[in-house]
PDB file of all heavy atoms in Angstrom:
ATOM      1  N   ALA D   8       3.198  13.994 -12.371  1.00 98.00           N
ATOM      2  CA  ALA D   8       4.338  14.873 -12.166  1.00 98.00           C
ATOM      3  C   ALA D   8       5.617  14.171 -12.588  1.00 98.00           C
ATOM      4  O   ALA D   8       5.677  12.947 -12.602  1.00 98.00           O
ATOM      5  CB  ALA D   8       4.426  15.249 -10.690  1.00 98.00           C
ATOM      6  N   GLY D   9       6.643  14.951 -12.915  1.00 97.00           N
ATOM      7  CA  GLY D   9       7.941  14.317 -13.141  1.00 97.00           C
ATOM      8  C   GLY D   9       8.591  14.703 -14.434  1.00 97.00           C
ATOM      9  O   GLY D   9       8.128  15.606 -15.128  1.00 97.00           O
ATOM     10  N   GLN D  10       9.643  13.989 -14.731  1.00 90.00           N
ATOM     11  CA  GLN D  10      10.509  14.373 -15.845  1.00 90.00           C
ATOM     12  C   GLN D  10       9.746  14.386 -17.175  1.00 90.00           C
ATOM     13  O   GLN D  10       8.762  13.665 -17.345  1.00 90.00           O
ATOM     14  CB  GLN D  10      11.757  13.481 -15.901  1.00 90.00           C
ATOM     15  CG  GLN D  10      11.502  11.998 -15.916  1.00 90.00           C
ATOM     16  CD  GLN D  10      11.523  11.414 -17.324  1.00 90.00           C
ATOM     17  OE1 GLN D  10      11.139  12.048 -18.315  1.00 90.00           O
ATOM     18  NE2 GLN D  10      11.922  10.179 -17.400  1.00 90.00           N
ATOM     19  N   ILE D  11      10.273  15.223 -18.069  1.00 87.00           N
ATOM     20  CA  ILE D  11       9.586  15.403 -19.348  1.00 87.00           C
ATOM     21  C   ILE D  11      10.525  15.077 -20.509  1.00 87.00           C
ATOM     22  O   ILE D  11      10.441  15.634 -21.588  1.00 87.00           O
ATOM     23  CB  ILE D  11       9.030  16.844 -19.473  1.00 87.00           C
ATOM     24  CG1 ILE D  11      10.128  17.882 -19.267  1.00 87.00           C
ATOM     25  CG2 ILE D  11       7.944  17.064 -18.429  1.00 87.00           C
ATOM     26  CD1 ILE D  11       9.627  19.327 -19.396  1.00 87.00           C
ATOM     27  N   HIS D  12      11.460  14.105 -20.236  1.00 86.00           N
ATOM     28  CA  HIS D  12      12.478  13.821 -21.248  1.00 86.00           C
ATOM     29  C   HIS D  12      12.210  12.535 -22.023  1.00 86.00           C
ATOM     30  O   HIS D  12      12.957  12.185 -22.923  1.00 86.00           O
ATOM     31  CB  HIS D  12      13.866  13.809 -20.594  1.00 86.00           C
ATOM     32  CG  HIS D  12      14.144  15.093 -19.896  1.00 86.00           C
ATOM     33  ND1 HIS D  12      14.399  16.260 -20.562  1.00 86.00           N
ATOM     34  CD2 HIS D  12      14.109  15.425 -18.572  1.00 86.00           C
ATOM     35  CE1 HIS D  12      14.557  17.249 -19.695  1.00 86.00           C
ATOM     36  NE2 HIS D  12      14.380  16.771 -18.478  1.00 86.00           N
ATOM     37  N   ASP D  13      11.191  11.795 -21.650  1.00 89.00           N
ATOM     38  CA  ASP D  13      10.753  10.697 -22.516  1.00 89.00           C
ATOM     39  C   ASP D  13       9.222  10.631 -22.463  1.00 89.00           C
ATOM     40  O   ASP D  13       8.582  11.470 -21.846  1.00 89.00           O
ATOM     41  CB  ASP D  13      11.402   9.356 -22.118  1.00 89.00           C
ATOM     42  CG  ASP D  13      10.978   8.873 -20.743  1.00 89.00           C
ATOM     43  OD1 ASP D  13       9.840   9.160 -20.303  1.00 89.00           O
ATOM     44  OD2 ASP D  13      11.784   8.209 -20.086  1.00 89.00           O
ATOM     45  N   ASN D  14       8.668   9.623 -23.143  1.00 93.00           N
ATOM     46  CA  ASN D  14       7.206   9.600 -23.294  1.00 93.00           C
ATOM     47  C   ASN D  14       6.493   8.732 -22.248  1.00 93.00           C
ATOM     48  O   ASN D  14       5.496   8.062 -22.556  1.00 93.00           O
ATOM     49  CB  ASN D  14       6.839   9.126 -24.701  1.00 93.00           C
ATOM     50  CG  ASN D  14       7.242   7.669 -24.851  1.00 93.00           C
ATOM     51  OD1 ASN D  14       8.070   7.161 -24.084  1.00 93.00           O
ATOM     52  ND2 ASN D  14       6.635   6.994 -25.814  1.00 93.00           N
ATOM     53  N   TRP D  15       6.985   8.746 -21.010  1.00 97.00           N
ATOM     54  CA  TRP D  15       6.389   7.858 -20.004  1.00 97.00           C
ATOM     55  C   TRP D  15       4.908   8.153 -19.760  1.00 97.00           C
ATOM     56  O   TRP D  15       4.138   7.249 -19.445  1.00 97.00           O
ATOM     57  CB  TRP D  15       7.194   7.884 -18.697  1.00 97.00           C
ATOM     58  CG  TRP D  15       7.087   9.145 -17.880  1.00 97.00           C
ATOM     59  CD1 TRP D  15       7.821  10.278 -18.013  1.00 97.00           C
ATOM     60  CD2 TRP D  15       6.173   9.385 -16.794  1.00 97.00           C
ATOM     61  NE1 TRP D  15       7.435  11.220 -17.087  1.00 97.00           N
ATOM     62  CE2 TRP D  15       6.434  10.695 -16.319  1.00 97.00           C
ATOM     63  CE3 TRP D  15       5.173   8.643 -16.177  1.00 97.00           C
ATOM     64  CZ2 TRP D  15       5.715  11.269 -15.256  1.00 97.00           C
ATOM     65  CZ3 TRP D  15       4.457   9.208 -15.116  1.00 97.00           C
ATOM     66  CH2 TRP D  15       4.735  10.508 -14.673  1.00 97.00           C
ATOM     67  N   ARG D  16       4.518   9.424 -19.913  1.00 98.00           N
ATOM     68  CA  ARG D  16       3.089   9.723 -19.696  1.00 98.00           C
ATOM     69  C   ARG D  16       2.214   9.062 -20.752  1.00 98.00           C
ATOM     70  O   ARG D  16       1.133   8.566 -20.459  1.00 98.00           O
ATOM     71  CB  ARG D  16       2.863  11.245 -19.709  1.00 98.00           C
ATOM     72  CG  ARG D  16       3.356  11.922 -18.447  1.00 98.00           C
ATOM     73  CD  ARG D  16       3.118  13.412 -18.482  1.00 98.00           C
ATOM     74  NE  ARG D  16       3.708  14.039 -17.301  1.00 98.00           N
ATOM     75  CZ  ARG D  16       4.998  14.317 -17.166  1.00 98.00           C
ATOM     76  NH1 ARG D  16       5.850  14.023 -18.130  1.00 98.00           N
ATOM     77  NH2 ARG D  16       5.440  14.871 -16.048  1.00 98.00           N
ATOM     78  N   GLU D  17       2.715   9.048 -21.994  1.00 97.00           N
ATOM     79  CA  GLU D  17       1.969   8.392 -23.063  1.00 97.00           C
ATOM     80  C   GLU D  17       1.823   6.903 -22.757  1.00 97.00           C
ATOM     81  O   GLU D  17       0.756   6.310 -22.961  1.00 97.00           O
ATOM     82  CB  GLU D  17       2.695   8.623 -24.401  1.00 97.00           C
ATOM     83  CG  GLU D  17       1.906   8.236 -25.620  1.00 97.00           C
ATOM     84  CD  GLU D  17       0.506   8.850 -25.673  1.00 97.00           C
ATOM     85  OE1 GLU D  17       0.275   9.891 -25.024  1.00 97.00           O
ATOM     86  OE2 GLU D  17      -0.380   8.255 -26.328  1.00 97.00           O
TER      87      GLU D  17
END
Side-chain angles (χ1 to χ4, degrees):
Chain D
Q10 53 97 327
I11 55 179
H12 303 288
D13 65 30
N14 67 341
W15 72 274
R16 286 180 185 80
E17 191 52 23

